[in-house]
Amino acid sequence: MVSYIEADSAPLKNTGQIKIYGPEHFEGMRKASQLTARCLDALVDIVKPGVTTAEIDRFVYEFGMDNGGYHAATLNYRGYKYSCCTSINHVICHGMPNSKPLREGDIVNVDVTFVVDGWYGDSSRMYPVGKLKRAAERLIEVTHESLMLGIAAAKPGNTTGDIGHAIQSYAEAQRCSVVREFCGHGLGRLFHDMPNIMHYGQPGKGEELKPGMIFTIEPMINLGKPHSKVSDKDGWTATTRDRSLSAQFEHSIGITEDGNEIFTLSPKGLFNPLEARGQDTQV
Ligand code: MF3
Ligand code: CO
Ligand code: CO
């Protein structure tokens, strides 16, 4: 059975316990997460056909520098050399920026974690590159909705299994599949901490959710089969085995007395790109 510990009395490492954070910690998470969210908002105007993922990476690096001199957590993390992950089409996650231009119809996830005053704000979204095929649009919609249903289940009294179940039951009812090999994670003054947040599961199973817990939910949903493989060339890039399209959305959240707070909310309401597009055309 897992135990819980006040964050201030816990060592700054993953001890296997779940840290419980207080109001001043939530404030730290808000600040870091809002820098990340503003960067992801700014990328809406950058991600276009012809742009390279290396240019996106450069933009993220500069954004941190220009807005207070902050670094992304991924830069030099376990040998990873970039300020973001850029995962295109059948890439599930941890795609590395490179010099290949994006093409009309691509879907790309950009995952950014800025560190501000020691706090980690981790979020990712999908960006459509020009006009998409219907199947790609549908996958983005299903994945976004999966995350939001997972967040709705993240409240005191529920368990991590309730979150996973909410995501899995919806995604599979939409004839999509849930990647099992990667999960959400506790975070705070650590990038990856307890608990693990599975994106599949059974109601009432797993760890009980308590006010003060802080973690990400970041479902990776495939149009085809759920199975993934990691590139043996670079050791990072995870792709679908069947090369079907994959999408992901990620928020960092904190459990409150009556539900949760989403730290990485988009200030401009651009988190769901298809919804945001609809808003554009009405102007
Ligand atoms: N931001 C990713 C996550 O959601 C982790 C990326 S680690 C990297 O947990 F090294 F691949 F960048
Ligand atoms: Co994460
Ligand atoms: Co992330």
Side-chain angles (χ1 to χ4, degrees):
M1 208 46 210
V2 78
S3 65
Y4 299 78
I5 183 170
E6 292 289 332
D8 278 337
S9 49
L12 193 53
K13 59 177 186 184
N14 184 345
T15 59
Q17 295 163 299
I18 297 176
K19 295 183 182 71
I20 300 294
Y21 295 90
E24 55 307 359
H25 305 142
F26 272 49
E27 188 52 39
M29 282 302 293
R30 251 170 236 137
K31 203 172 154 200
S33 298
Q34 280 301 297
L35 183 63
T36 296
R38 283 201 289 129
C39 179
L40 293 179
D41 277 1
L43 280 172
V44 170
D45 290 331
I46 304 292
V47 181
K48 295 271 145 74
V51 168
T52 70
T53 47
E55 287 165 342
I56 292 172
D57 185 59
R58 182 86 200 155
F59 181 88
V60 173
Y61 179 83
E62 297 289 345
F63 191 91
M65 286 301 122
D66 295 347
N67 288 276
Y70 298 110
H71 273 109
T74 52
L75 191 59
N76 300 318
Y77 174 77
R78 300 184 179 192
Y80 191 84
K81 290 282 169 219
Y82 307 94
S83 296
C84 60
C85 299
T86 51
S87 303
I88 305 167
N89 296 338
H90 68 290
V91 178
I92 294 170
C93 63
H94 303 164
M96 292 193 194
N98 64 28
S99 57
K100 243 181 82 185
L102 293 170
R103 292 160 45 156
E104 178 97 15
D106 284 344
I107 57 170
V108 54
N109 174 281
V110 183
D111 190 337
V112 173
T113 307
F114 276 118
V115 190
V116 176
D117 304 335
W119 295 94
Y120 289 71
D122 188 3
S123 183
S124 82
R125 310 177 189 168
M126 298 306 296
Y127 294 83
V129 182
K131 186 158 173 46
L132 301 186
K133 293 214 169 97
R134 184 65 201 125
E137 275 185 354
R138 192 176 76 85
L139 177 64
I140 289 176
E141 281 298 355
V142 169
T143 308
H144 176 266
E145 186 62 15
S146 298
L147 170 62
M148 296 326 281
L149 290 169
I151 292 175
K155 56 185 183 191
N158 271 3
T159 65
T160 55
D162 290 311
I163 297 174
H165 179 74
I167 292 166
Q168 180 183 18
S169 57
Y170 176 75
E172 290 181 355
Q174 301 300 314
R175 286 167 288 113
C176 294
S177 66
V178 177
V179 174
R180 305 290 202 273
E181 291 87 352
F182 302 92
C183 57
H185 49 93
L187 82 170
R189 283 170 294 207
L190 284 181
F191 195 2
H192 294 109
D193 203 351
M194 291 298 275
N196 291 328
I197 305 294
M198 267 30 127
H199 304 115
Y200 58 95
Q202 293 171 289
K205 296 283 165 80
E207 312 305 342
E208 190 185 335
L209 302 175
K210 296 185 194 271
M213 285 172 66
I214 294 177
F215 53 82
T216 73
I217 308 179
E218 48 182 299
M220 287 141 274
I221 307 293
N222 300 344
L223 269 185
K225 298 235 155 62
H227 312 103
S228 68
K229 61 175 181 211
V230 173
S231 160
D232 43 28
K233 286 207 189 79
D234 65 32
W236 284 103
T237 311
T239 55
T240 55
R241 282 191 178 265
D242 63 7
R243 296 186 75 82
S244 68
L245 286 184
S246 186
Q248 179 178 28
F249 284 86
E250 174 177 27
H251 269 316
S252 294
I253 72 169
I255 302 297
T256 59
E257 293 296 332
D258 55 2
N260 62 68
E261 172 175 347
I262 303 175
F263 297 125
T264 44
L265 275 183
S266 162
K268 292 191 173 160
L270 299 176
F271 189 69
N272 177 349
L274 302 179
E275 224 172 65
R277 255 187 189 175
Q279 280 167 19
D280 274 359
T281 53
Q282 279 160 26
V283 174

